[in-house]
Amino acid sequence: MTIFSKIIAGEIPSYKVAENDKFFAFLDINPVGWGHTLVVPKQETDYIFDLSDEDLAEMTVFAKRVAKAIKKALPCRKVGVTVLGLEVPHAHIHLVPLKNEGDMDFRNKIDSPDPEKMKQIAAAIAGNFE
Ligand code: 5GP
């Protein structure tokens, strides 16, 4: 069971922002910026391009809805989209609010993000999810 499956199952706490029957979205615990969100399929698959065409399409549309909620909740020009997957073997899309290109530099993480602020941001995104 991956760490993300444990989060989905509620065995490990997360700052959840959205969920449906197939996908789950929550804040990255070590964010590159405020609002950095991960979108994952509930079914464990390591590599995103091993998902079926249908599941990949559905995941992309779900991520689009999450990105729209991020854009409404936080000041940004656009929401950046990245797939890395080098650390956690459970497919996920990174969504990061962008004011400029440097906001998506994964070498720059927020140092010890304040839990209360993370909670507020997750609630703000969740409140704008349609
Ligand atoms: P990647 O696999 O895309 O290279 O990186 C995995 C991402 O998942 C990293 O940005 C990391 O901060 C995040 N991450 C790893 N473990 C956890 C966790 O337990 N909870 C949350 N919310 N994020 C995690």
Side-chain angles (χ1 to χ4, degrees):
M1 198 176 192
T2 67
I3 194 145
F4 290 170
S5 288
K6 289 180 184 167
I7 286 172
I8 293 161
E11 292 173 19
I12 293 176
S14 70
Y15 300 99
K16 176 179 151 181
V17 306
E19 178 178 16
N20 72 5
D21 57 328
K22 291 180 79 169
F23 305 102
F24 195 91
F26 55 103
L27 297 185
D28 194 299
I29 203 69
N30 196 10
V32 292
W34 297 110
H36 179 179
T37 300
L38 302 175
V39 174
V40 305
K42 289 187 173 177
Q43 190 180 339
E44 275 185 21
T45 301
D46 177 357
Y47 184 44
I48 192 165
F49 291 139
D50 284 334
L51 290 169
S52 68
D53 290 358
E54 187 183 65
D55 285 347
L56 180 60
E58 275 186 49
M59 184 172 169
T60 305
V61 172
F62 185 81
K64 171 182 167 177
R65 290 169 61 202
V66 176
K68 283 185 182 279
I70 294 171
K71 180 90 170 47
K72 282 184 186 160
L74 297 166
C76 60
R77 286 168 58 200
K78 290 189 176 174
V79 174
V81 185
T82 295
V83 175
L84 298 173
L86 296 175
E87 183 188 323
V88 178
H90 186 141
H92 51 282
I93 295 172
H94 294 261
L95 297 175
V96 180
L98 300 178
K99 287 182 178 160
N100 57 62
E101 200 179 297
D103 293 341
M104 206 139 185
D105 184 340
F106 281 77
R107 291 166 297 189
N108 299 332
K109 301 290 184 100
I110 294 174
D111 193 25
S112 305
D114 174 37
E116 197 49 44
K117 185 162 179 180
M118 292 286 274
K119 212 167 132 186
Q120 285 171 9
I121 287 173
I125 298 170
N128 282 286
F129 182 73
E130 292 175 357

PDB file of all heavy atoms in Angstrom, residues 33-64:
ATOM      1  N   GLY A  33       4.893  25.943  -3.050  1.00  0.00           N
ATOM      2  CA  GLY A  33       4.222  27.221  -2.825  1.00  0.00           C
ATOM      3  C   GLY A  33       2.884  26.949  -2.154  1.00  0.00           C
ATOM      4  O   GLY A  33       2.401  25.812  -2.168  1.00  0.00           O
ATOM      5  N   TRP A  34       2.268  27.999  -1.592  1.00  0.00           N
ATOM      6  CA  TRP A  34       0.978  27.825  -0.933  1.00  0.00           C
ATOM      7  C   TRP A  34      -0.074  27.391  -1.945  1.00  0.00           C
ATOM      8  O   TRP A  34      -0.214  28.012  -2.996  1.00  0.00           O
ATOM      9  CB  TRP A  34       0.544  29.125  -0.235  1.00  0.00           C
ATOM     10  CG  TRP A  34       1.489  29.526   0.845  1.00  0.00           C
ATOM     11  CD1 TRP A  34       2.338  30.588   0.840  1.00  0.00           C
ATOM     12  CD2 TRP A  34       1.709  28.834   2.092  1.00  0.00           C
ATOM     13  NE1 TRP A  34       3.078  30.609   2.005  1.00  0.00           N
ATOM     14  CE2 TRP A  34       2.708  29.553   2.783  1.00  0.00           C
ATOM     15  CE3 TRP A  34       1.171  27.692   2.679  1.00  0.00           C
ATOM     16  CZ2 TRP A  34       3.179  29.164   4.040  1.00  0.00           C
ATOM     17  CZ3 TRP A  34       1.635  27.304   3.929  1.00  0.00           C
ATOM     18  CH2 TRP A  34       2.613  28.035   4.605  1.00  0.00           C
ATOM     19  N   GLY A  35      -0.762  26.326  -1.635  1.00  0.00           N
ATOM     20  CA  GLY A  35      -1.793  25.815  -2.537  1.00  0.00           C
ATOM     21  C   GLY A  35      -1.320  24.668  -3.417  1.00  0.00           C
ATOM     22  O   GLY A  35      -2.091  24.126  -4.200  1.00  0.00           O
ATOM     23  N   HIS A  36      -0.045  24.293  -3.294  1.00  0.00           N
ATOM     24  CA  HIS A  36       0.496  23.154  -4.054  1.00  0.00           C
ATOM     25  C   HIS A  36      -0.327  21.905  -3.713  1.00  0.00           C
ATOM     26  O   HIS A  36      -0.377  21.466  -2.571  1.00  0.00           O
ATOM     27  CB  HIS A  36       1.970  22.975  -3.670  1.00  0.00           C
ATOM     28  CG  HIS A  36       2.664  21.835  -4.340  1.00  0.00           C
ATOM     29  ND1 HIS A  36       3.994  21.560  -4.117  1.00  0.00           N
ATOM     30  CD2 HIS A  36       2.237  20.891  -5.213  1.00  0.00           C
ATOM     31  CE1 HIS A  36       4.354  20.507  -4.836  1.00  0.00           C
ATOM     32  NE2 HIS A  36       3.298  20.075  -5.499  1.00  0.00           N
ATOM     33  N   THR A  37      -0.969  21.368  -4.728  1.00  0.00           N
ATOM     34  CA  THR A  37      -1.945  20.287  -4.541  1.00  0.00           C
ATOM     35  C   THR A  37      -1.565  19.069  -5.367  1.00  0.00           C
ATOM     36  O   THR A  37      -1.022  19.197  -6.472  1.00  0.00           O
ATOM     37  CB  THR A  37      -3.350  20.796  -4.964  1.00  0.00           C
ATOM     38  OG1 THR A  37      -3.698  21.915  -4.140  1.00  0.00           O
ATOM     39  CG2 THR A  37      -4.414  19.725  -4.834  1.00  0.00           C
ATOM     40  N   LEU A  38      -1.858  17.897  -4.846  1.00  0.00           N
ATOM     41  CA  LEU A  38      -1.634  16.648  -5.573  1.00  0.00           C
ATOM     42  C   LEU A  38      -2.983  16.013  -5.911  1.00  0.00           C
ATOM     43  O   LEU A  38      -3.875  15.968  -5.060  1.00  0.00           O
ATOM     44  CB  LEU A  38      -0.820  15.666  -4.716  1.00  0.00           C
ATOM     45  CG  LEU A  38       0.545  16.160  -4.240  1.00  0.00           C
ATOM     46  CD1 LEU A  38       1.182  15.129  -3.305  1.00  0.00           C
ATOM     47  CD2 LEU A  38       1.469  16.441  -5.407  1.00  0.00           C
ATOM     48  N   VAL A  39      -3.106  15.538  -7.141  1.00  0.00           N
ATOM     49  CA  VAL A  39      -4.318  14.819  -7.567  1.00  0.00           C
ATOM     50  C   VAL A  39      -3.906  13.379  -7.848  1.00  0.00           C
ATOM     51  O   VAL A  39      -2.978  13.135  -8.632  1.00  0.00           O
ATOM     52  CB  VAL A  39      -4.906  15.463  -8.841  1.00  0.00           C
ATOM     53  CG1 VAL A  39      -6.071  14.639  -9.369  1.00  0.00           C
ATOM     54  CG2 VAL A  39      -5.344  16.896  -8.554  1.00  0.00           C
ATOM     55  N   VAL A  40      -4.578  12.427  -7.204  1.00  0.00           N
ATOM     56  CA  VAL A  40      -4.185  11.014  -7.346  1.00  0.00           C
ATOM     57  C   VAL A  40      -5.393  10.135  -7.655  1.00  0.00           C
ATOM     58  O   VAL A  40      -6.501  10.432  -7.206  1.00  0.00           O
ATOM     59  CB  VAL A  40      -3.498  10.489  -6.055  1.00  0.00           C
ATOM     60  CG1 VAL A  40      -2.324  11.352  -5.674  1.00  0.00           C
ATOM     61  CG2 VAL A  40      -4.455  10.396  -4.889  1.00  0.00           C
ATOM     62  N   PRO A  41      -5.178   9.052  -8.407  1.00  0.00           N
ATOM     63  CA  PRO A  41      -6.257   8.078  -8.582  1.00  0.00           C
ATOM     64  C   PRO A  41      -6.343   7.205  -7.330  1.00  0.00           C
ATOM     65  O   PRO A  41      -5.323   6.929  -6.695  1.00  0.00           O
ATOM     66  CB  PRO A  41      -5.789   7.236  -9.789  1.00  0.00           C
ATOM     67  CG  PRO A  41      -4.304   7.356  -9.791  1.00  0.00           C
ATOM     68  CD  PRO A  41      -3.953   8.668  -9.134  1.00  0.00           C
ATOM     69  N   LYS A  42      -7.548   6.795  -6.990  1.00  0.00           N
ATOM     70  CA  LYS A  42      -7.691   5.939  -5.794  1.00  0.00           C
ATOM     71  C   LYS A  42      -7.088   4.561  -6.047  1.00  0.00           C
ATOM     72  O   LYS A  42      -6.596   3.915  -5.124  1.00  0.00           O
ATOM     73  CB  LYS A  42      -9.160   5.846  -5.393  1.00  0.00           C
ATOM     74  CG  LYS A  42      -9.666   7.166  -4.820  1.00  0.00           C
ATOM     75  CD  LYS A  42     -11.056   7.052  -4.260  1.00  0.00           C
ATOM     76  CE  LYS A  42     -11.436   8.356  -3.558  1.00  0.00           C
ATOM     77  NZ  LYS A  42     -12.812   8.347  -3.033  1.00  0.00           N
ATOM     78  N   GLN A  43      -7.161   4.126  -7.286  1.00  0.00           N
ATOM     79  CA  GLN A  43      -6.551   2.842  -7.618  1.00  0.00           C
ATOM     80  C   GLN A  43      -5.046   3.031  -7.802  1.00  0.00           C
ATOM     81  O   GLN A  43      -4.608   3.905  -8.551  1.00  0.00           O
ATOM     82  CB  GLN A  43      -7.176   2.289  -8.896  1.00  0.00           C
ATOM     83  CG  GLN A  43      -6.751   0.861  -9.162  1.00  0.00           C
ATOM     84  CD  GLN A  43      -7.370   0.304 -10.432  1.00  0.00           C
ATOM     85  OE1 GLN A  43      -8.381   0.808 -10.917  1.00  0.00           O
ATOM     86  NE2 GLN A  43      -6.767  -0.726 -10.970  1.00  0.00           N
ATOM     87  N   GLU A  44      -4.272   2.212  -7.109  1.00  0.00           N
ATOM     88  CA  GLU A  44      -2.811   2.344  -7.166  1.00  0.00           C
ATOM     89  C   GLU A  44      -2.250   1.992  -8.533  1.00  0.00           C
ATOM     90  O   GLU A  44      -2.450   0.891  -9.021  1.00  0.00           O
ATOM     91  CB  GLU A  44      -2.153   1.397  -6.147  1.00  0.00           C
ATOM     92  CG  GLU A  44      -2.062   1.969  -4.771  1.00  0.00           C
ATOM     93  CD  GLU A  44      -1.294   1.048  -3.826  1.00  0.00           C
ATOM     94  OE1 GLU A  44      -0.514   0.196  -4.284  1.00  0.00           O
ATOM     95  OE2 GLU A  44      -1.503   1.184  -2.608  1.00  0.00           O
ATOM     96  N   THR A  45      -1.571   2.946  -9.125  1.00  0.00           N
ATOM     97  CA  THR A  45      -0.778   2.722 -10.351  1.00  0.00           C
ATOM     98  C   THR A  45       0.452   3.600 -10.190  1.00  0.00           C
ATOM     99  O   THR A  45       0.316   4.772  -9.827  1.00  0.00           O
ATOM    100  CB  THR A  45      -1.554   3.172 -11.604  1.00  0.00           C
ATOM    101  OG1 THR A  45      -2.782   2.446 -11.674  1.00  0.00           O
ATOM    102  CG2 THR A  45      -0.769   2.925 -12.875  1.00  0.00           C
ATOM    103  N   ASP A  46       1.611   3.050 -10.407  1.00  0.00           N
ATOM    104  CA  ASP A  46       2.842   3.811 -10.202  1.00  0.00           C
ATOM    105  C   ASP A  46       2.958   4.943 -11.229  1.00  0.00           C
ATOM    106  O   ASP A  46       2.996   6.122 -10.873  1.00  0.00           O
ATOM    107  CB  ASP A  46       4.037   2.843 -10.283  1.00  0.00           C
ATOM    108  CG  ASP A  46       5.393   3.541 -10.157  1.00  0.00           C
ATOM    109  OD1 ASP A  46       5.438   4.781 -10.057  1.00  0.00           O
ATOM    110  OD2 ASP A  46       6.410   2.822 -10.167  1.00  0.00           O
ATOM    111  N   TYR A  47       2.957   4.564 -12.498  1.00  0.00           N
ATOM    112  CA  TYR A  47       3.292   5.509 -13.563  1.00  0.00           C
ATOM    113  C   TYR A  47       2.020   6.017 -14.237  1.00  0.00           C
ATOM    114  O   TYR A  47       1.187   5.206 -14.684  1.00  0.00           O
ATOM    115  CB  TYR A  47       4.197   4.792 -14.566  1.00  0.00           C
ATOM    116  CG  TYR A  47       4.736   5.631 -15.696  1.00  0.00           C
ATOM    117  CD1 TYR A  47       5.247   6.908 -15.481  1.00  0.00           C
ATOM    118  CD2 TYR A  47       4.762   5.122 -16.991  1.00  0.00           C
ATOM    119  CE1 TYR A  47       5.751   7.660 -16.521  1.00  0.00           C
ATOM    120  CE2 TYR A  47       5.277   5.869 -18.045  1.00  0.00           C
ATOM    121  CZ  TYR A  47       5.769   7.135 -17.810  1.00  0.00           C
ATOM    122  OH  TYR A  47       6.272   7.876 -18.839  1.00  0.00           O
ATOM    123  N   ILE A  48       1.889   7.319 -14.309  1.00  0.00           N
ATOM    124  CA  ILE A  48       0.638   7.917 -14.797  1.00  0.00           C
ATOM    125  C   ILE A  48       0.268   7.415 -16.204  1.00  0.00           C
ATOM    126  O   ILE A  48      -0.905   7.216 -16.506  1.00  0.00           O
ATOM    127  CB  ILE A  48       0.719   9.464 -14.731  1.00  0.00           C
ATOM    128  CG1 ILE A  48      -0.668  10.070 -14.939  1.00  0.00           C
ATOM    129  CG2 ILE A  48       1.750  10.016 -15.692  1.00  0.00           C
ATOM    130  CD1 ILE A  48      -0.767  11.531 -14.534  1.00  0.00           C
ATOM    131  N   PHE A  49       1.285   7.166 -17.037  1.00  0.00           N
ATOM    132  CA  PHE A  49       0.971   6.750 -18.403  1.00  0.00           C
ATOM    133  C   PHE A  49       0.733   5.245 -18.527  1.00  0.00           C
ATOM    134  O   PHE A  49       0.578   4.721 -19.629  1.00  0.00           O
ATOM    135  CB  PHE A  49       2.032   7.252 -19.383  1.00  0.00           C
ATOM    136  CG  PHE A  49       2.004   8.756 -19.541  1.00  0.00           C
ATOM    137  CD1 PHE A  49       3.178   9.484 -19.614  1.00  0.00           C
ATOM    138  CD2 PHE A  49       0.801   9.455 -19.600  1.00  0.00           C
ATOM    139  CE1 PHE A  49       3.163  10.873 -19.746  1.00  0.00           C
ATOM    140  CE2 PHE A  49       0.761  10.834 -19.725  1.00  0.00           C
ATOM    141  CZ  PHE A  49       1.949  11.546 -19.798  1.00  0.00           C
ATOM    142  N   ASP A  50       0.673   4.560 -17.353  1.00  0.00           N
ATOM    143  CA  ASP A  50       0.174   3.183 -17.336  1.00  0.00           C
ATOM    144  C   ASP A  50      -1.325   3.138 -17.048  1.00  0.00           C
ATOM    145  O   ASP A  50      -1.938   2.070 -17.083  1.00  0.00           O
ATOM    146  CB  ASP A  50       0.920   2.334 -16.289  1.00  0.00           C
ATOM    147  CG  ASP A  50       2.316   1.953 -16.765  1.00  0.00           C
ATOM    148  OD1 ASP A  50       2.522   1.897 -17.992  1.00  0.00           O
ATOM    149  OD2 ASP A  50       3.196   1.726 -15.915  1.00  0.00           O
ATOM    150  N   LEU A  51      -1.926   4.292 -16.736  1.00  0.00           N
ATOM    151  CA  LEU A  51      -3.381   4.333 -16.555  1.00  0.00           C
ATOM    152  C   LEU A  51      -4.053   4.071 -17.901  1.00  0.00           C
ATOM    153  O   LEU A  51      -3.479   4.374 -18.959  1.00  0.00           O
ATOM    154  CB  LEU A  51      -3.818   5.715 -16.052  1.00  0.00           C
ATOM    155  CG  LEU A  51      -3.437   6.089 -14.611  1.00  0.00           C
ATOM    156  CD1 LEU A  51      -3.708   7.579 -14.373  1.00  0.00           C
ATOM    157  CD2 LEU A  51      -4.195   5.252 -13.609  1.00  0.00           C
ATOM    158  N   SER A  52      -5.268   3.551 -17.850  1.00  0.00           N
ATOM    159  CA  SER A  52      -6.015   3.372 -19.099  1.00  0.00           C
ATOM    160  C   SER A  52      -6.307   4.756 -19.687  1.00  0.00           C
ATOM    161  O   SER A  52      -6.311   5.766 -18.964  1.00  0.00           O
ATOM    162  CB  SER A  52      -7.335   2.645 -18.825  1.00  0.00           C
ATOM    163  OG  SER A  52      -8.200   3.482 -18.085  1.00  0.00           O
ATOM    164  N   ASP A  53      -6.584   4.792 -20.973  1.00  0.00           N
ATOM    165  CA  ASP A  53      -6.910   6.073 -21.625  1.00  0.00           C
ATOM    166  C   ASP A  53      -8.083   6.739 -20.914  1.00  0.00           C
ATOM    167  O   ASP A  53      -8.078   7.959 -20.673  1.00  0.00           O
ATOM    168  CB  ASP A  53      -7.280   5.840 -23.101  1.00  0.00           C
ATOM    169  CG  ASP A  53      -6.083   5.423 -23.941  1.00  0.00           C
ATOM    170  OD1 ASP A  53      -4.955   5.356 -23.403  1.00  0.00           O
ATOM    171  OD2 ASP A  53      -6.286   5.140 -25.141  1.00  0.00           O
ATOM    172  N   GLU A  54      -9.069   5.922 -20.576  1.00  0.00           N
ATOM    173  CA  GLU A  54     -10.278   6.465 -19.939  1.00  0.00           C
ATOM    174  C   GLU A  54      -9.948   7.060 -18.559  1.00  0.00           C
ATOM    175  O   GLU A  54     -10.381   8.171 -18.229  1.00  0.00           O
ATOM    176  CB  GLU A  54     -11.305   5.341 -19.798  1.00  0.00           C
ATOM    177  CG  GLU A  54     -12.654   5.797 -19.320  1.00  0.00           C
ATOM    178  CD  GLU A  54     -13.595   4.615 -19.132  1.00  0.00           C
ATOM    179  OE1 GLU A  54     -13.317   3.782 -18.261  1.00  0.00           O
ATOM    180  OE2 GLU A  54     -14.581   4.548 -19.875  1.00  0.00           O
ATOM    181  N   ASP A  55      -9.168   6.325 -17.766  1.00  0.00           N
ATOM    182  CA  ASP A  55      -8.834   6.816 -16.424  1.00  0.00           C
ATOM    183  C   ASP A  55      -7.945   8.058 -16.490  1.00  0.00           C
ATOM    184  O   ASP A  55      -8.106   8.988 -15.692  1.00  0.00           O
ATOM    185  CB  ASP A  55      -8.137   5.717 -15.603  1.00  0.00           C
ATOM    186  CG  ASP A  55      -9.120   4.657 -15.129  1.00  0.00           C
ATOM    187  OD1 ASP A  55     -10.336   4.898 -15.230  1.00  0.00           O
ATOM    188  OD2 ASP A  55      -8.665   3.598 -14.672  1.00  0.00           O
ATOM    189  N   LEU A  56      -7.018   8.081 -17.434  1.00  0.00           N
ATOM    190  CA  LEU A  56      -6.148   9.253 -17.588  1.00  0.00           C
ATOM    191  C   LEU A  56      -6.978  10.478 -17.990  1.00  0.00           C
ATOM    192  O   LEU A  56      -6.774  11.579 -17.452  1.00  0.00           O
ATOM    193  CB  LEU A  56      -5.064   8.979 -18.633  1.00  0.00           C
ATOM    194  CG  LEU A  56      -4.091  10.125 -18.897  1.00  0.00           C
ATOM    195  CD1 LEU A  56      -3.330  10.513 -17.631  1.00  0.00           C
ATOM    196  CD2 LEU A  56      -3.110   9.751 -20.003  1.00  0.00           C
ATOM    197  N   ALA A  57      -7.916  10.269 -18.892  1.00  0.00           N
ATOM    198  CA  ALA A  57      -8.784  11.376 -19.321  1.00  0.00           C
ATOM    199  C   ALA A  57      -9.617  11.873 -18.143  1.00  0.00           C
ATOM    200  O   ALA A  57      -9.719  13.080 -17.898  1.00  0.00           O
ATOM    201  CB  ALA A  57      -9.677  10.919 -20.467  1.00  0.00           C
ATOM    202  N   GLU A  58     -10.173  10.958 -17.388  1.00  0.00           N
ATOM    203  CA  GLU A  58     -11.000  11.349 -16.229  1.00  0.00           C
ATOM    204  C   GLU A  58     -10.165  12.062 -15.173  1.00  0.00           C
ATOM    205  O   GLU A  58     -10.613  13.019 -14.547  1.00  0.00           O
ATOM    206  CB  GLU A  58     -11.636  10.105 -15.588  1.00  0.00           C
ATOM    207  CG  GLU A  58     -12.920   9.667 -16.241  1.00  0.00           C
ATOM    208  CD  GLU A  58     -13.564   8.518 -15.473  1.00  0.00           C
ATOM    209  OE1 GLU A  58     -13.707   8.597 -14.252  1.00  0.00           O
ATOM    210  OE2 GLU A  58     -13.895   7.513 -16.128  1.00  0.00           O
ATOM    211  N   MET A  59      -8.942  11.578 -14.965  1.00  0.00           N
ATOM    212  CA  MET A  59      -8.060  12.196 -13.963  1.00  0.00           C
ATOM    213  C   MET A  59      -7.710  13.626 -14.384  1.00  0.00           C
ATOM    214  O   MET A  59      -7.660  14.543 -13.559  1.00  0.00           O
ATOM    215  CB  MET A  59      -6.799  11.356 -13.805  1.00  0.00           C
ATOM    216  CG  MET A  59      -5.847  11.844 -12.734  1.00  0.00           C
ATOM    217  SD  MET A  59      -4.529  10.633 -12.486  1.00  0.00           S
ATOM    218  CE  MET A  59      -3.403  11.557 -11.455  1.00  0.00           C
ATOM    219  N   THR A  60      -7.490  13.817 -15.676  1.00  0.00           N
ATOM    220  CA  THR A  60      -7.156  15.146 -16.192  1.00  0.00           C
ATOM    221  C   THR A  60      -8.329  16.110 -15.998  1.00  0.00           C
ATOM    222  O   THR A  60      -8.146  17.263 -15.591  1.00  0.00           O
ATOM    223  CB  THR A  60      -6.772  15.059 -17.686  1.00  0.00           C
ATOM    224  OG1 THR A  60      -5.716  14.110 -17.821  1.00  0.00           O
ATOM    225  CG2 THR A  60      -6.311  16.390 -18.230  1.00  0.00           C
ATOM    226  N   VAL A  61      -9.518  15.620 -16.251  1.00  0.00           N
ATOM    227  CA  VAL A  61     -10.702  16.476 -16.084  1.00  0.00           C
ATOM    228  C   VAL A  61     -10.927  16.780 -14.601  1.00  0.00           C
ATOM    229  O   VAL A  61     -11.280  17.914 -14.233  1.00  0.00           O
ATOM    230  CB  VAL A  61     -11.945  15.810 -16.722  1.00  0.00           C
ATOM    231  CG1 VAL A  61     -13.207  16.587 -16.389  1.00  0.00           C
ATOM    232  CG2 VAL A  61     -11.764  15.712 -18.232  1.00  0.00           C
ATOM    233  N   PHE A  62     -10.672  15.791 -13.740  1.00  0.00           N
ATOM    234  CA  PHE A  62     -10.788  16.035 -12.295  1.00  0.00           C
ATOM    235  C   PHE A  62      -9.751  17.082 -11.867  1.00  0.00           C
ATOM    236  O   PHE A  62     -10.052  18.015 -11.120  1.00  0.00           O
ATOM    237  CB  PHE A  62     -10.591  14.720 -11.525  1.00  0.00           C
ATOM    238  CG  PHE A  62     -10.809  14.840 -10.048  1.00  0.00           C
ATOM    239  CD1 PHE A  62     -12.088  14.815  -9.507  1.00  0.00           C
ATOM    240  CD2 PHE A  62      -9.735  14.983  -9.179  1.00  0.00           C
ATOM    241  CE1 PHE A  62     -12.292  14.946  -8.135  1.00  0.00           C
ATOM    242  CE2 PHE A  62      -9.921  15.105  -7.807  1.00  0.00           C
ATOM    243  CZ  PHE A  62     -11.210  15.082  -7.287  1.00  0.00           C
ATOM    244  N   ALA A  63      -8.518  16.941 -12.362  1.00  0.00           N
ATOM    245  CA  ALA A  63      -7.455  17.911 -12.031  1.00  0.00           C
ATOM    246  C   ALA A  63      -7.827  19.311 -12.522  1.00  0.00           C
ATOM    247  O   ALA A  63      -7.522  20.311 -11.858  1.00  0.00           O
ATOM    248  CB  ALA A  63      -6.129  17.462 -12.651  1.00  0.00           C
ATOM    249  N   LYS A  64      -8.491  19.378 -13.658  1.00  0.00           N
ATOM    250  CA  LYS A  64      -8.941  20.682 -14.181  1.00  0.00           C
ATOM    251  C   LYS A  64      -9.912  21.346 -13.203  1.00  0.00           C
ATOM    252  O   LYS A  64      -9.808  22.542 -12.919  1.00  0.00           O
ATOM    253  CB  LYS A  64      -9.615  20.470 -15.546  1.00  0.00           C
ATOM    254  CG  LYS A  64     -10.323  21.672 -16.107  1.00  0.00           C
ATOM    255  CD  LYS A  64     -10.983  21.333 -17.433  1.00  0.00           C
ATOM    256  CE  LYS A  64     -11.947  22.415 -17.865  1.00  0.00           C
ATOM    257  NZ  LYS A  64     -12.551  22.128 -19.180  1.00  0.00           N
TER     258      LYS A  64
END
